Amino acid sequence: MAHAAQVGLQDATSPIMEELITFHDHALMIIFLICFLVLYALFLTLTTKLTNTNISDAQEMETVWTILPAIILVLIALPSLRILYMTDEINNPSLTIKSIGHQWYWTYEYTDYGGLIFNSYMLPPLFLEPGDLRLLDVDNRVVLPIEAPIRMMITSQDVLHSWAVPTLGLKTDAIPGRLNQTTFTATRPGVYYGQCSEICGANHSFMPIVLELIPLKIFEMGPVFTL
Amino acid sequence: MAAPPEPGEPEERKSLKLLGFLDVENTPCARHSILYGSLGSVVAGFGHFLFTSERSCDVGVGGFILVTLGCWFHCRYNYAKQRIQERIAREEIKKKILYEGTHLDPERKHNGSSSN
């Protein structure tokens, strides 16, 4: 989960998120250099004593400041498109979970092996145990295996919601009447948090998502099916 | 504030953010690129001034940008190669541990194909 006042990305728990963090670092370095150049140009503008009121054109400069940004955009676009197509790769998911947004909770359906369906409500502050996270912990977590491709089918029963887990690099809109799909493979076990990411009413901030990722061996023993 | 690290956990390095957003301590290759860029900027600017005795700030800034960018791409390319090699090594070690002594042992397959 994020720590207080965190600005940067969370550590990656899936290969796609690792790629996204790499791309973010790459784009940020380019942004830093552009900002540095602009600050230098601003400094020169403010401190120069040169004045020439007869400049009529500057063809060379205009050529440079057209071609250079085009090159920079290509340098940013190529890795971006690579990751975009990577997220759409078909990877043969071994498990499919349906996630349905409601005002203001999530319903999860494990229908591959039996008909397990449950709701996931945020724990009200009065019901928190010591160590629980305020506004993040839920009564029923989504228990999933690591190192197995998982398909999430996301939709909504009422208004727009969005199912997001930052550490996995996931954010998919839950749209009523539409089924959206996203896949992921988690690389390490743990408890990971997300929050609804599309304004959906008074309690939009109070319908978190909690994934409990466990080793496949333990998942196969069926802890999730003992609810 | 972040939770204090557990004993045995590596301490997260204090972040130094250039222009308020580029975290050079925790971004791989950033510190290395910025340092080499600064060195390149000084060398280019000072060298230009020595040879021409003209204002060399522009050359210095240009040198900084070009050297930083060059070091950055070079370092990130090597970092990506290293990550791929680490991932392959991790997978092979895992396969070896899981399948050692069985018919799926990768070493047995490799020795079998080389003796044929």
Short mmCIF file of all heavy atoms in Angstrom, two decimals, chain A residues 3-5 7-8 11 15 18-19 21-23 25-37 39-40 44 50 75 147, chain B residues 1-3 12 17-19 21-23 27-30 33-34 55 57-58 61 64-65 68-69 72-73 76 79 83 87 94:
data_model
loop_
_atom_site.label_atom_id
_atom_site.label_comp_id
_atom_site.label_asym_id
_atom_site.label_seq_id
_atom_site.Cartn_x
_atom_site.Cartn_y
_atom_site.Cartn_z
N HIS A 3 2.42 4.70 1.44
CA HIS A 3 2.60 5.29 2.77
C HIS A 3 2.14 6.74 2.73
O HIS A 3 1.91 7.30 1.65
CB HIS A 3 4.04 5.16 3.25
CG HIS A 3 5.06 5.72 2.32
ND1 HIS A 3 5.30 7.06 2.19
CD2 HIS A 3 5.92 5.12 1.47
CE1 HIS A 3 6.26 7.26 1.31
NE2 HIS A 3 6.64 6.10 0.85
N ALA A 4 2.00 7.34 3.89
CA ALA A 4 1.42 8.69 3.97
C ALA A 4 2.25 9.68 3.15
O ALA A 4 3.47 9.64 3.16
CB ALA A 4 1.38 9.14 5.43
N ALA A 5 1.59 10.54 2.42
CA ALA A 5 2.21 11.59 1.60
C ALA A 5 3.08 11.01 0.48
O ALA A 5 3.95 11.70 -0.04
CB ALA A 5 3.02 12.56 2.46
N VAL A 7 4.20 10.21 -3.12
CA VAL A 7 3.93 10.83 -4.41
C VAL A 7 4.25 9.86 -5.55
O VAL A 7 3.54 9.81 -6.55
CB VAL A 7 4.75 12.13 -4.56
CG1 VAL A 7 4.58 12.72 -5.95
CG2 VAL A 7 4.34 13.14 -3.52
N GLY A 8 5.31 9.07 -5.37
CA GLY A 8 5.77 8.18 -6.42
C GLY A 8 4.93 6.92 -6.53
O GLY A 8 4.00 6.68 -5.75
N ASP A 11 5.81 -0.05 -5.27
CA ASP A 11 6.67 -1.12 -5.82
C ASP A 11 5.82 -2.06 -6.67
O ASP A 11 4.65 -2.30 -6.39
CB ASP A 11 7.31 -1.92 -4.67
CG ASP A 11 8.33 -1.10 -3.93
OD1 ASP A 11 8.81 -0.08 -4.48
OD2 ASP A 11 8.67 -1.47 -2.79
N PRO A 15 4.81 -8.08 -13.73
CA PRO A 15 5.78 -7.67 -14.75
C PRO A 15 5.36 -6.41 -15.51
O PRO A 15 6.20 -5.59 -15.85
CB PRO A 15 5.83 -8.88 -15.70
CG PRO A 15 5.29 -10.01 -14.91
CD PRO A 15 4.33 -9.45 -13.94
N GLU A 18 6.28 -3.42 -13.52
CA GLU A 18 7.74 -3.19 -13.61
C GLU A 18 8.06 -2.42 -14.89
O GLU A 18 8.86 -1.48 -14.87
CB GLU A 18 8.50 -4.51 -13.61
CG GLU A 18 8.52 -5.21 -12.26
CD GLU A 18 9.15 -6.60 -12.34
OE1 GLU A 18 9.86 -6.88 -13.32
OE2 GLU A 18 8.90 -7.40 -11.43
N GLU A 19 7.43 -2.82 -15.98
CA GLU A 19 7.66 -2.11 -17.26
C GLU A 19 7.15 -0.68 -17.17
O GLU A 19 7.78 0.25 -17.69
CB GLU A 19 6.94 -2.84 -18.40
CG GLU A 19 7.48 -4.22 -18.70
CD GLU A 19 8.88 -4.17 -19.26
OE1 GLU A 19 9.24 -3.20 -19.93
OE2 GLU A 19 9.64 -5.12 -18.99
N ILE A 21 6.94 1.20 -14.50
CA ILE A 21 7.86 1.99 -13.68
C ILE A 21 9.09 2.36 -14.50
O ILE A 21 9.59 3.50 -14.44
CB ILE A 21 8.24 1.23 -12.39
CG1 ILE A 21 7.03 1.13 -11.46
CG2 ILE A 21 9.40 1.89 -11.68
CD1 ILE A 21 7.25 0.27 -10.24
N THR A 22 9.60 1.42 -15.28
CA THR A 22 10.76 1.70 -16.15
C THR A 22 10.43 2.82 -17.13
O THR A 22 11.22 3.75 -17.32
CB THR A 22 11.16 0.43 -16.92
OG1 THR A 22 11.38 -0.60 -15.98
CG2 THR A 22 12.39 0.66 -17.74
N PHE A 23 9.25 2.73 -17.74
CA PHE A 23 8.84 3.77 -18.68
C PHE A 23 8.67 5.12 -17.99
O PHE A 23 9.05 6.17 -18.52
CB PHE A 23 7.53 3.37 -19.37
CG PHE A 23 6.95 4.46 -20.22
CD1 PHE A 23 7.56 4.82 -21.41
CD2 PHE A 23 5.81 5.15 -19.83
CE1 PHE A 23 7.05 5.85 -22.20
CE2 PHE A 23 5.30 6.17 -20.61
CZ PHE A 23 5.92 6.52 -21.79
N ASP A 25 10.30 6.18 -15.35
CA ASP A 25 11.64 6.73 -15.11
C ASP A 25 12.20 7.36 -16.38
O ASP A 25 12.79 8.45 -16.35
CB ASP A 25 12.59 5.63 -14.63
CG ASP A 25 12.21 5.10 -13.25
OD1 ASP A 25 11.45 5.78 -12.54
OD2 ASP A 25 12.69 4.00 -12.90
N HIS A 26 12.01 6.66 -17.51
CA HIS A 26 12.50 7.14 -18.80
C HIS A 26 11.85 8.48 -19.17
O HIS A 26 12.54 9.45 -19.50
CB HIS A 26 12.21 6.05 -19.84
CG HIS A 26 12.32 6.48 -21.26
ND1 HIS A 26 13.53 6.70 -21.88
CD2 HIS A 26 11.38 6.73 -22.20
CE1 HIS A 26 13.32 7.06 -23.13
NE2 HIS A 26 12.03 7.09 -23.36
N ALA A 27 10.53 8.53 -19.06
CA ALA A 27 9.80 9.77 -19.41
C ALA A 27 10.19 10.90 -18.47
O ALA A 27 10.34 12.06 -18.88
CB ALA A 27 8.30 9.53 -19.37
N LEU A 28 10.38 10.58 -17.19
CA LEU A 28 10.71 11.62 -16.20
C LEU A 28 12.08 12.23 -16.46
O LEU A 28 12.27 13.44 -16.27
CB LEU A 28 10.66 11.02 -14.80
CG LEU A 28 10.14 11.93 -13.70
CD1 LEU A 28 8.74 12.41 -14.00
CD2 LEU A 28 10.18 11.25 -12.36
N MET A 29 13.02 11.40 -16.91
CA MET A 29 14.35 11.94 -17.22
C MET A 29 14.26 12.91 -18.39
O MET A 29 14.87 13.98 -18.39
CB MET A 29 15.32 10.80 -17.52
CG MET A 29 16.72 11.26 -17.92
SD MET A 29 17.54 12.32 -16.74
CE MET A 29 18.15 11.16 -15.54
N ILE A 30 13.48 12.55 -19.42
CA ILE A 30 13.31 13.43 -20.57
C ILE A 30 12.63 14.73 -20.13
O ILE A 30 13.02 15.83 -20.52
CB ILE A 30 12.51 12.72 -21.68
CG1 ILE A 30 13.35 11.57 -22.24
CG2 ILE A 30 12.12 13.68 -22.78
CD1 ILE A 30 12.64 10.71 -23.24
N ILE A 31 11.63 14.62 -19.27
CA ILE A 31 10.92 15.80 -18.77
C ILE A 31 11.88 16.69 -17.99
O ILE A 31 11.87 17.92 -18.12
CB ILE A 31 9.73 15.38 -17.89
CG1 ILE A 31 8.63 14.75 -18.74
CG2 ILE A 31 9.16 16.54 -17.11
CD1 ILE A 31 7.59 14.01 -17.95
N PHE A 32 12.72 16.08 -17.16
CA PHE A 32 13.69 16.84 -16.37
C PHE A 32 14.61 17.65 -17.27
O PHE A 32 14.86 18.83 -17.04
CB PHE A 32 14.50 15.89 -15.49
CG PHE A 32 15.70 16.52 -14.85
CD1 PHE A 32 15.57 17.38 -13.78
CD2 PHE A 32 16.97 16.26 -15.35
CE1 PHE A 32 16.68 17.98 -13.21
CE2 PHE A 32 18.09 16.87 -14.77
CZ PHE A 32 17.94 17.72 -13.70
N LEU A 33 15.11 17.00 -18.33
CA LEU A 33 16.04 17.71 -19.22
C LEU A 33 15.34 18.84 -19.96
O LEU A 33 15.91 19.92 -20.15
CB LEU A 33 16.67 16.71 -20.20
CG LEU A 33 17.61 15.70 -19.56
CD1 LEU A 33 18.06 14.67 -20.56
CD2 LEU A 33 18.81 16.39 -18.93
N ILE A 34 14.11 18.63 -20.36
CA ILE A 34 13.35 19.69 -21.04
C ILE A 34 13.12 20.85 -20.08
O ILE A 34 13.30 22.03 -20.44
CB ILE A 34 12.02 19.15 -21.59
CG1 ILE A 34 12.27 18.18 -22.73
CG2 ILE A 34 11.12 20.28 -22.06
CD1 ILE A 34 11.04 17.43 -23.19
N CYS A 35 12.75 20.53 -18.84
CA CYS A 35 12.52 21.60 -17.84
C CYS A 35 13.81 22.36 -17.59
O CYS A 35 13.80 23.59 -17.45
CB CYS A 35 12.05 20.99 -16.51
SG CYS A 35 10.35 20.46 -16.55
N PHE A 36 14.92 21.65 -17.54
CA PHE A 36 16.22 22.29 -17.32
C PHE A 36 16.51 23.26 -18.46
O PHE A 36 16.93 24.41 -18.23
CB PHE A 36 17.29 21.20 -17.22
CG PHE A 36 18.66 21.71 -16.94
CD1 PHE A 36 19.01 22.10 -15.65
CD2 PHE A 36 19.60 21.82 -17.95
CE1 PHE A 36 20.28 22.58 -15.38
CE2 PHE A 36 20.87 22.31 -17.68
CZ PHE A 36 21.22 22.69 -16.40
N LEU A 37 16.26 22.82 -19.68
CA LEU A 37 16.51 23.67 -20.85
C LEU A 37 15.61 24.91 -20.83
O LEU A 37 16.05 26.03 -21.10
CB LEU A 37 16.27 22.86 -22.12
CG LEU A 37 16.56 23.53 -23.45
CD1 LEU A 37 18.04 23.85 -23.56
CD2 LEU A 37 16.13 22.65 -24.62
N LEU A 39 14.20 26.30 -18.21
CA LEU A 39 14.62 27.20 -17.11
C LEU A 39 15.84 28.00 -17.53
O LEU A 39 15.94 29.20 -17.21
CB LEU A 39 14.94 26.38 -15.86
CG LEU A 39 13.74 25.96 -15.02
CD1 LEU A 39 14.17 25.02 -13.90
CD2 LEU A 39 13.04 27.18 -14.42
N TYR A 40 16.75 27.35 -18.25
CA TYR A 40 17.94 28.07 -18.72
C TYR A 40 17.55 29.16 -19.71
O TYR A 40 18.04 30.30 -19.63
CB TYR A 40 18.93 27.08 -19.35
CG TYR A 40 20.16 27.72 -19.90
CD1 TYR A 40 21.07 28.36 -19.06
CD2 TYR A 40 20.41 27.72 -21.27
CE1 TYR A 40 22.20 28.97 -19.57
CE2 TYR A 40 21.54 28.32 -21.79
CZ TYR A 40 22.44 28.94 -20.94
OH TYR A 40 23.55 29.54 -21.45
N LEU A 44 18.12 33.17 -19.31
CA LEU A 44 18.78 34.03 -20.31
C LEU A 44 17.88 35.19 -20.72
O LEU A 44 18.33 36.32 -20.87
CB LEU A 44 19.12 33.20 -21.56
CG LEU A 44 20.29 32.24 -21.45
CD1 LEU A 44 20.51 31.56 -22.79
CD2 LEU A 44 21.55 32.95 -21.00
N LEU A 50 21.12 42.04 -24.41
CA LEU A 50 21.04 42.20 -25.85
C LEU A 50 19.64 42.61 -26.27
O LEU A 50 18.67 42.03 -25.81
CB LEU A 50 21.40 40.88 -26.54
CG LEU A 50 22.77 40.30 -26.20
CD1 LEU A 50 22.86 38.88 -26.70
CD2 LEU A 50 23.86 41.14 -26.83
N LEU A 75 10.81 9.28 -29.14
CA LEU A 75 11.54 8.58 -28.07
C LEU A 75 10.62 8.20 -26.91
O LEU A 75 10.86 7.21 -26.22
CB LEU A 75 12.65 9.48 -27.51
CG LEU A 75 13.92 9.59 -28.32
CD1 LEU A 75 14.90 10.51 -27.61
CD2 LEU A 75 14.55 8.22 -28.52
N GLU A 147 1.91 -16.04 -9.41
CA GLU A 147 2.57 -16.71 -10.53
C GLU A 147 1.61 -17.53 -11.38
O GLU A 147 1.99 -18.56 -11.94
CB GLU A 147 3.73 -17.58 -10.02
CG GLU A 147 4.85 -16.72 -9.47
CD GLU A 147 5.96 -17.50 -8.82
OE1 GLU A 147 5.82 -18.73 -8.70
OE2 GLU A 147 6.95 -16.88 -8.43
N MET B 1 4.54 9.54 7.15
CA MET B 1 5.94 9.11 7.19
C MET B 1 5.98 7.60 6.97
O MET B 1 5.13 6.88 7.47
CB MET B 1 6.57 9.41 8.56
CG MET B 1 6.76 10.86 8.79
SD MET B 1 8.15 11.46 7.87
CE MET B 1 9.53 10.77 8.72
N ALA B 2 6.99 7.05 6.27
CA ALA B 2 7.10 5.62 6.05
C ALA B 2 7.43 4.92 7.36
O ALA B 2 8.09 5.49 8.24
CB ALA B 2 8.20 5.36 5.02
N ALA B 3 6.99 3.66 7.45
CA ALA B 3 7.28 2.88 8.66
C ALA B 3 8.79 2.64 8.73
O ALA B 3 9.45 2.47 7.71
CB ALA B 3 6.54 1.56 8.59
N GLU B 12 15.74 2.28 3.01
CA GLU B 12 15.48 3.02 1.77
C GLU B 12 16.33 4.28 1.80
O GLU B 12 16.39 4.98 2.81
CB GLU B 12 14.01 3.40 1.69
CG GLU B 12 13.58 3.68 0.27
CD GLU B 12 12.13 4.16 0.22
OE1 GLU B 12 11.91 5.36 0.37
OE2 GLU B 12 11.27 3.30 0.08
N LYS B 17 15.34 14.98 -4.77
CA LYS B 17 14.54 15.19 -5.98
C LYS B 17 14.99 16.46 -6.67
O LYS B 17 14.77 17.57 -6.16
CB LYS B 17 13.06 15.27 -5.63
CG LYS B 17 12.53 13.96 -5.10
CD LYS B 17 11.03 13.96 -4.96
CE LYS B 17 10.60 12.56 -4.57
NZ LYS B 17 9.22 12.45 -4.21
N LEU B 18 15.60 16.28 -7.85
CA LEU B 18 16.04 17.44 -8.62
C LEU B 18 14.81 18.10 -9.26
O LEU B 18 13.95 17.41 -9.81
CB LEU B 18 17.00 17.00 -9.73
CG LEU B 18 18.34 16.43 -9.27
CD1 LEU B 18 19.21 16.12 -10.46
CD2 LEU B 18 19.05 17.43 -8.37
N LEU B 19 14.76 19.41 -9.17
CA LEU B 19 13.61 20.21 -9.65
C LEU B 19 12.31 19.77 -8.98
O LEU B 19 11.22 19.98 -9.49
CB LEU B 19 13.45 20.14 -11.17
CG LEU B 19 14.56 20.77 -12.00
CD1 LEU B 19 14.21 20.71 -13.49
CD2 LEU B 19 14.79 22.23 -11.61
N PHE B 21 11.05 16.77 -8.64
CA PHE B 21 10.37 15.54 -9.06
C PHE B 21 11.28 14.40 -9.49
O PHE B 21 10.85 13.25 -9.48
CB PHE B 21 9.35 15.84 -10.19
CG PHE B 21 9.96 16.43 -11.44
CD1 PHE B 21 10.53 15.62 -12.41
CD2 PHE B 21 9.93 17.80 -11.66
CE1 PHE B 21 11.07 16.16 -13.56
CE2 PHE B 21 10.47 18.34 -12.82
CZ PHE B 21 11.04 17.52 -13.77
N LEU B 22 12.54 14.67 -9.88
CA LEU B 22 13.38 13.56 -10.33
C LEU B 22 14.16 13.01 -9.15
O LEU B 22 15.14 13.60 -8.70
CB LEU B 22 14.33 14.02 -11.43
CG LEU B 22 15.19 12.90 -12.03
CD1 LEU B 22 14.33 11.96 -12.83
CD2 LEU B 22 16.30 13.47 -12.90
N ASP B 23 13.73 11.83 -8.66
CA ASP B 23 14.36 11.20 -7.50
C ASP B 23 15.64 10.50 -7.94
O ASP B 23 15.61 9.36 -8.43
CB ASP B 23 13.38 10.20 -6.87
CG ASP B 23 13.89 9.67 -5.54
OD1 ASP B 23 15.08 9.87 -5.23
OD2 ASP B 23 13.09 9.04 -4.81
N THR B 27 16.00 6.18 -8.34
CA THR B 27 15.78 5.82 -9.75
C THR B 27 17.07 5.24 -10.28
O THR B 27 18.10 5.92 -10.27
CB THR B 27 15.39 7.05 -10.58
OG1 THR B 27 14.27 7.68 -9.99
CG2 THR B 27 15.05 6.66 -12.00
N PRO B 28 17.03 3.96 -10.77
CA PRO B 28 18.27 3.35 -11.29
C PRO B 28 18.85 4.19 -12.42
O PRO B 28 18.11 4.65 -13.29
CB PRO B 28 17.81 1.98 -11.80
CG PRO B 28 16.51 1.73 -11.18
CD PRO B 28 15.88 3.04 -10.88
N CYS B 29 20.15 4.38 -12.42
CA CYS B 29 20.90 5.09 -13.47
C CYS B 29 20.77 6.61 -13.43
O CYS B 29 21.51 7.29 -14.14
CB CYS B 29 20.48 4.66 -14.88
SG CYS B 29 20.88 2.95 -15.27
N ALA B 30 19.86 7.17 -12.62
CA ALA B 30 19.65 8.62 -12.65
C ALA B 30 20.86 9.36 -12.08
O ALA B 30 21.37 10.31 -12.68
CB ALA B 30 18.39 9.00 -11.88
N SER B 33 23.86 9.16 -14.37
CA SER B 33 23.71 9.99 -15.58
C SER B 33 23.88 11.47 -15.24
O SER B 33 24.56 12.21 -15.98
CB SER B 33 22.34 9.79 -16.22
OG SER B 33 22.15 8.45 -16.54
N ILE B 34 23.28 11.92 -14.15
CA ILE B 34 23.35 13.34 -13.79
C ILE B 34 24.79 13.72 -13.45
O ILE B 34 25.29 14.79 -13.85
CB ILE B 34 22.42 13.67 -12.61
CG1 ILE B 34 20.96 13.44 -12.99
CG2 ILE B 34 22.63 15.09 -12.11
CD1 ILE B 34 20.41 14.42 -13.97
N ARG B 55 31.62 33.40 -24.58
CA ARG B 55 30.65 32.92 -23.59
C ARG B 55 30.32 31.46 -23.88
O ARG B 55 29.91 31.11 -25.00
CB ARG B 55 29.38 33.78 -23.71
CG ARG B 55 28.66 33.89 -22.39
CD ARG B 55 27.43 34.75 -22.52
NE ARG B 55 26.26 33.92 -22.23
CZ ARG B 55 25.25 33.72 -23.04
NH1 ARG B 55 25.22 34.30 -24.22
NH2 ARG B 55 24.26 32.95 -22.68
N CYS B 57 28.34 29.34 -21.74
CA CYS B 57 27.24 28.75 -20.95
C CYS B 57 26.37 27.87 -21.81
O CYS B 57 25.94 26.78 -21.39
CB CYS B 57 26.38 29.85 -20.34
SG CYS B 57 27.21 30.74 -19.05
N ASP B 58 26.10 28.33 -23.04
CA ASP B 58 25.22 27.56 -23.92
C ASP B 58 25.83 26.19 -24.23
O ASP B 58 25.13 25.17 -24.23
CB ASP B 58 24.97 28.31 -25.23
CG ASP B 58 24.31 29.66 -25.00
OD1 ASP B 58 23.78 29.87 -23.89
OD2 ASP B 58 24.30 30.50 -25.93
N VAL B 61 25.47 23.99 -21.13
CA VAL B 61 24.12 23.44 -20.96
C VAL B 61 23.85 22.35 -21.99
O VAL B 61 23.31 21.27 -21.68
CB VAL B 61 23.07 24.57 -21.05
CG1 VAL B 61 21.67 24.01 -21.18
CG2 VAL B 61 23.15 25.46 -19.82
N PHE B 64 25.67 19.27 -21.00
CA PHE B 64 24.98 18.59 -19.90
C PHE B 64 23.84 17.73 -20.43
O PHE B 64 23.71 16.54 -20.08
CB PHE B 64 24.45 19.62 -18.90
CG PHE B 64 23.58 19.03 -17.82
CD1 PHE B 64 24.13 18.34 -16.77
CD2 PHE B 64 22.19 19.15 -17.87
CE1 PHE B 64 23.34 17.77 -15.77
CE2 PHE B 64 21.39 18.59 -16.90
CZ PHE B 64 21.96 17.90 -15.84
N ILE B 65 23.03 18.33 -21.29
CA ILE B 65 21.86 17.60 -21.80
C ILE B 65 22.29 16.39 -22.62
O ILE B 65 21.78 15.28 -22.43
CB ILE B 65 20.96 18.55 -22.63
CG1 ILE B 65 20.30 19.57 -21.70
CG2 ILE B 65 19.90 17.79 -23.40
CD1 ILE B 65 19.56 20.67 -22.40
N THR B 68 24.12 13.69 -20.37
CA THR B 68 23.14 13.04 -19.48
C THR B 68 22.28 12.06 -20.26
O THR B 68 22.08 10.91 -19.83
CB THR B 68 22.24 14.08 -18.81
OG1 THR B 68 23.04 15.00 -18.08
CG2 THR B 68 21.24 13.43 -17.86
N LEU B 69 21.81 12.51 -21.41
CA LEU B 69 20.93 11.65 -22.22
C LEU B 69 21.69 10.41 -22.70
O LEU B 69 21.16 9.29 -22.64
CB LEU B 69 20.43 12.46 -23.41
CG LEU B 69 18.99 12.23 -23.89
CD1 LEU B 69 18.01 12.28 -22.74
CD2 LEU B 69 18.63 13.30 -24.92
N TRP B 72 22.33 8.08 -19.83
CA TRP B 72 21.04 7.53 -19.39
C TRP B 72 20.63 6.35 -20.27
O TRP B 72 20.33 5.27 -19.77
CB TRP B 72 19.99 8.62 -19.42
CG TRP B 72 18.58 8.17 -19.18
CD1 TRP B 72 17.59 8.04 -20.11
CD2 TRP B 72 17.99 7.81 -17.94
NE1 TRP B 72 16.43 7.60 -19.51
CE2 TRP B 72 16.65 7.47 -18.18
CE3 TRP B 72 18.48 7.75 -16.63
CZ2 TRP B 72 15.79 7.06 -17.17
CZ3 TRP B 72 17.60 7.35 -15.62
CH2 TRP B 72 16.28 7.01 -15.89
N PHE B 73 20.67 6.54 -21.60
CA PHE B 73 20.26 5.46 -22.50
C PHE B 73 21.20 4.27 -22.40
O PHE B 73 20.76 3.12 -22.38
CB PHE B 73 20.18 5.96 -23.95
CG PHE B 73 18.93 6.75 -24.23
CD1 PHE B 73 18.99 8.05 -24.69
CD2 PHE B 73 17.68 6.19 -24.04
CE1 PHE B 73 17.84 8.79 -24.94
CE2 PHE B 73 16.52 6.93 -24.29
CZ PHE B 73 16.61 8.22 -24.74
N ARG B 76 20.52 2.51 -19.02
CA ARG B 76 19.20 1.85 -18.98
C ARG B 76 19.18 0.63 -19.86
O ARG B 76 18.53 -0.37 -19.54
CB ARG B 76 18.09 2.82 -19.42
CG ARG B 76 17.82 3.95 -18.47
CD ARG B 76 17.36 3.54 -17.12
NE ARG B 76 16.00 3.13 -17.06
CZ ARG B 76 15.26 3.04 -15.94
NH1 ARG B 76 15.80 3.35 -14.79
NH2 ARG B 76 14.03 2.64 -15.99
N TYR B 79 20.96 -1.97 -17.91
CA TYR B 79 20.10 -2.34 -16.78
C TYR B 79 18.99 -3.29 -17.24
O TYR B 79 18.70 -4.29 -16.57
CB TYR B 79 19.52 -1.07 -16.17
CG TYR B 79 18.60 -1.28 -14.99
CD1 TYR B 79 19.09 -1.70 -13.77
CD2 TYR B 79 17.24 -1.01 -15.09
CE1 TYR B 79 18.26 -1.88 -12.68
CE2 TYR B 79 16.40 -1.19 -14.01
CZ TYR B 79 16.90 -1.62 -12.82
OH TYR B 79 16.05 -1.80 -11.76
N ARG B 83 18.44 -7.14 -16.09
CA ARG B 83 17.17 -7.61 -15.51
C ARG B 83 16.68 -8.85 -16.23
O ARG B 83 16.19 -9.79 -15.61
CB ARG B 83 16.11 -6.51 -15.61
CG ARG B 83 16.08 -5.60 -14.42
CD ARG B 83 15.03 -4.53 -14.54
NE ARG B 83 13.70 -5.08 -14.65
CZ ARG B 83 12.71 -4.53 -15.37
NH1 ARG B 83 12.93 -3.42 -16.04
NH2 ARG B 83 11.54 -5.07 -15.42
N ARG B 87 16.21 -12.54 -14.61
CA ARG B 87 14.93 -13.25 -14.68
C ARG B 87 15.14 -14.66 -15.23
O ARG B 87 14.60 -15.63 -14.71
CB ARG B 87 13.95 -12.49 -15.58
CG ARG B 87 12.50 -12.92 -15.39
CD ARG B 87 11.58 -12.18 -16.31
NE ARG B 87 11.59 -10.75 -16.08
CZ ARG B 87 11.12 -9.85 -16.95
NH1 ARG B 87 10.63 -10.23 -18.11
NH2 ARG B 87 11.15 -8.56 -16.66
N LYS B 94 14.86 -22.05 -10.43
CA LYS B 94 13.59 -22.61 -9.94
C LYS B 94 13.30 -23.95 -10.62
O LYS B 94 12.91 -24.92 -9.97
CB LYS B 94 12.45 -21.63 -10.24
CG LYS B 94 11.34 -21.66 -9.20
CD LYS B 94 10.12 -20.91 -9.60
CE LYS B 94 10.32 -19.46 -9.79
NZ LYS B 94 9.08 -18.74 -10.13
#
